[in-house]
Each structure stands twice: as structure tokens, then as C-alpha cells.
Amino acid sequence: MSGNATYQDLGRRCDKFATMRARKLRIGDKVKVIGIPTLSISKELENELGTTKLFKYMLGRVYTIRGFDEYGHVELHPKRLSHVWIEREFLKLRTRKPNKA
């Protein structure tokens, strides 16, 4: 048997990783923002809303997961009156404290 993986093997590994990652996050978990999503809004609207500025502010910071939307995006509250929904791929789970039994 050769050491090369087939496309099917790689696909199964990616599916397994995606499933594991999707299952890991829960409301109340702490996550670190490790990336910024590509935004597809007009420059005028972006300047008015400050979305890019807010995502750059969030980069490298830790937040508590507040919820999930119907698409699986994670809800974070980076500032007191701001709500952001971000894809899981831009987040890294911080170490979870074990439950006290």
C-alpha cells in the first residue's frame, strides 16, 4: 500500500474534521477570533456601518458565544450594543473548564 492518500480519503478526513469542529462549540464557550470574513457590501454602506473596522477590532480577542443562527454562524457581542454573526472557521475554541460533578 502506498503512502499517498486518495481524494476519497481526504474528503472523509475533511468531513470528519468539519463535523468535529461543528460539534465542539456551545453557547457559553469562549472563542478567539482568528480571522476576518470577506465582506460583500458597498463601500458607502461599509463606511456608514463600520463593519470592517469592527471585525479588525475583534481579531485576536476572546468572546463568549451567545447563540447560533439557522446557518450555523456564531453570535458574538464584541461591544455593548453590537451583535456579530461570524462563521466557525474564523474562531478557535479556548480551553473549556471541566464540569464539576
Side-chain angles (χ1 to χ4, degrees), residues 37-43 45-46 51-52 55 87:
T38 304
L39 303 174
S40 57
I41 58 176
S42 69
K43 288 291 182 189
L45 185 59
E46 195 286 316
T51 308
T52 302
F55 276 112
E87 293 90 344

Side-chain angles (χ1 to χ4, degrees), residues 33-39 51-52 55-57 59 86-87 90:
V33 179
I34 59 170
I36 300 174
T38 304
L39 303 174
T51 308
T52 302
F55 276 112
K56 286 181 180 179
Y57 167 81
L59 191 61
I86 188 168
E87 293 90 344
F90 299 112

Side-chain angles (χ1 to χ4, degrees), residues 29-76:
D29 283 347
K30 302 282 187 185
V31 291
K32 182 176 184 177
V33 179
I34 59 170
I36 300 174
T38 304
L39 303 174
S40 57
I41 58 176
S42 69
K43 288 291 182 189
E44 296 82 25
L45 185 59
E46 195 286 316
N47 289 336
E48 184 178 331
L49 297 175
T51 308
T52 302
K53 186 177 177 181
L54 180 61
F55 276 112
K56 286 181 180 179
Y57 167 81
M58 293 175 61
L59 191 61
R61 296 177 187 258
V62 177
Y63 299 97
T64 302
I65 295 176
R66 303 293 181 169
F68 300 93
D69 69 4
E70 64 270 14
Y71 304 106
H73 297 118
V74 178
E75 180 184 353
L76 304 175

Side-chain angles (χ1 to χ4, degrees), residues 1-43:
M1 180 172 169
S2 68
N4 298 333
T6 64
Y7 285 114
Q8 291 82 13
D9 292 335
L10 293 174
R12 274 188 239 111
R13 289 181 193 162
C14 290
D15 289 343
K16 182 179 176 184
F17 178 73
T19 302
M20 287 173 27
R21 185 174 177 125
R23 192 175 18 181
K24 281 192 338 186
L25 300 179
R26 298 187 301 219
I27 293 174
D29 283 347
K30 302 282 187 185
V31 291
K32 182 176 184 177
V33 179
I34 59 170
I36 300 174
T38 304
L39 303 174
S40 57
I41 58 176
S42 69
K43 288 291 182 189

